[in-house]
Amino acid sequence: MIIEIVTDVVLPIFVLIGLGALMHRAFQLNLYTLAKINFYYITPAVVFLSMYNSEMSPLLLGSVTLFYALYISLQYIVSSIVSWKRGFKPGMKAAFTNSLILDNSGNYGLPINQLAFKGDPLATSIQALVMTFQSLVTFTYGVISVQRAKSGGTLKAALIGFLKMPVPYALVLGLVFHVFHWPLPDFAAKPLGYIADSMVSIALLTLGAQIIQYPLRLDRLDVYISAFLRLLVGPAIGLLLILALGLKGIPAQALLIASGMPTGVNSTILAEEYDNEPDFASQTVLISTLLNVITVTALISLSKFVG
């Protein structure tokens, strides 16, 4: 089973990431444009369609929301304890916390989900919901924590940034169309389908181009502590919450895999934007993504026995 997971899920993912890295090395791709294409073009289409085709009941929607809220809260507590023990200054504490709670649920998590579950609508909708929650955390707590560490940012500025994002609106629209059983006309359904179909290849090409720009360093202990907590402690917390909430089947499996995603590129973008530990942030993204080859394989294997 492990060989099948590696060949069918993990290897295709990292082949596409590798191609993105090679493309960037050869042609110096415009990462700003790629990020905008992913964020404003592809991801909203995927989120809308996954909610529109969702098989989630209101009860399951509530359970996933509760799971994520508890998961992020526990990760924050773990981060605070480690930051206190390590004696981190405010800037480093903010960067370390972001490396744990801002994961790559979008341009890495969604492709993993689609390959692992072979495009199952329920699994996709759960991952899309997790990605939306992740965006909320990124553009509220993630931004505020770094701003306060550097210059005293405000909640108002972070919320304005969040309201400018298309993903929450796509999620709400998808749910509305789903709840009221409104049919999508062909002139809207077909373009949305074509856009969503490009998600795996474009998202992973972008990720490869993003991570190759950072030089690999192996000499920072704090990076390995972050990777350990992100890739091993995170899934352990996820599994405990799944058992505590009584989740079963595909929802339990999808949430377990989602809890083990590597550190998200957004943590690096925030670090660079506010000049707050950019080297640490970039290394956690790179190291956790590379190590995830092993951990996500084990996690997908373990998920078969959950629920």
Side-chain angles (χ1 to χ4, degrees), residues 37-49 166-167 170-171 192:
I37 290 172
N38 276 279
F39 196 70
Y40 289 95
Y41 183 67
I42 297 175
T43 301
V46 172
V47 170
F48 176 86
L49 288 178
V167 170
L171 182 139
L192 286 171

Side-chain angles (χ1 to χ4, degrees), residues 47 53 57 67-68 79 81 84 100 126 139 142 145 180 183 191 214 225 227 238 254 263 273 277 300:
V47 170
N53 297 317
S57 64
F67 169 91
Y68 190 80
S79 171
I81 293 172
W84 172 62
L100 296 190
I126 288 172
F139 290 94
S145 66
F180 290 100
Y214 308 124
I225 294 174
T263 301
E273 178 74 20
E277 302 290 344
I300 294 172

Side-chain angles (χ1 to χ4, degrees), residues 52-121:
Y52 180 69
N53 297 317
S54 174
E55 298 176 4
M56 266 197 290
S57 64
L59 179 61
L60 179 56
L61 177 63
S63 296
V64 174
T65 302
L66 179 59
F67 169 91
Y68 190 80
L70 292 173
Y71 176 78
I72 288 296
S73 299
L74 291 172
Q75 283 282 59
Y76 178 81
I77 291 171
V78 169
S79 171
S80 297
I81 293 172
V82 174
S83 296
W84 172 62
K85 289 288 188 180
R86 299 285 294 169
F88 291 154
K89 294 180 179 179
M92 182 60 188
K93 179 183 178 182
F96 187 82
T97 301
N98 282 348
S99 75
L100 296 190
I101 67 174
L102 305 185
D103 63 35
N104 206 343
S105 57
N107 63 353
Y108 183 84
L110 270 175
I112 284 283
N113 177 283
Q114 291 206 338
L115 289 173
F117 293 97
K118 299 181 176 13
D120 181 89

Side-chain angles (χ1 to χ4, degrees), residues 47 105 127-137 162 167-168 171:
V47 170
S105 57
Q127 183 63 35
L129 187 60
V130 168
M131 183 186 67
T132 303
F133 290 150
Q134 179 65 211
S135 297
L136 173 62
V137 173
F162 174 73
V167 170
L171 182 139

Side-chain angles (χ1 to χ4, degrees), residues 186-269:
D186 284 347
F187 70 82
K190 288 184 177 179
L192 286 171
Y194 293 146
I195 295 170
D197 288 343
S198 70
M199 187 271 298
V200 172
S201 60
I202 300 300
L204 292 175
L205 180 143
T206 303
L207 178 59
Q210 287 172 326
I211 64 176
I212 196 63
Q213 67 178 320
Y214 308 124
L216 180 62
R217 288 178 49 190
L218 304 173
D219 59 349
R220 290 198 64 170
L221 176 61
D222 294 331
V223 171
Y224 293 104
I225 294 174
S226 170
F228 171 78
L229 296 174
R230 175 68 260 156
L231 300 178
L232 296 179
V233 175
I237 292 173
L239 179 59
L240 290 175
L241 289 175
I242 287 167
L243 295 175
L245 295 174
L247 295 167
K248 305 288 185 181
I250 286 179
Q253 295 169 3
L255 288 172
L256 179 61
I257 295 171
S259 69
M261 293 298 101
T263 301
V265 176
N266 279 334
S267 65
T268 298
I269 292 172

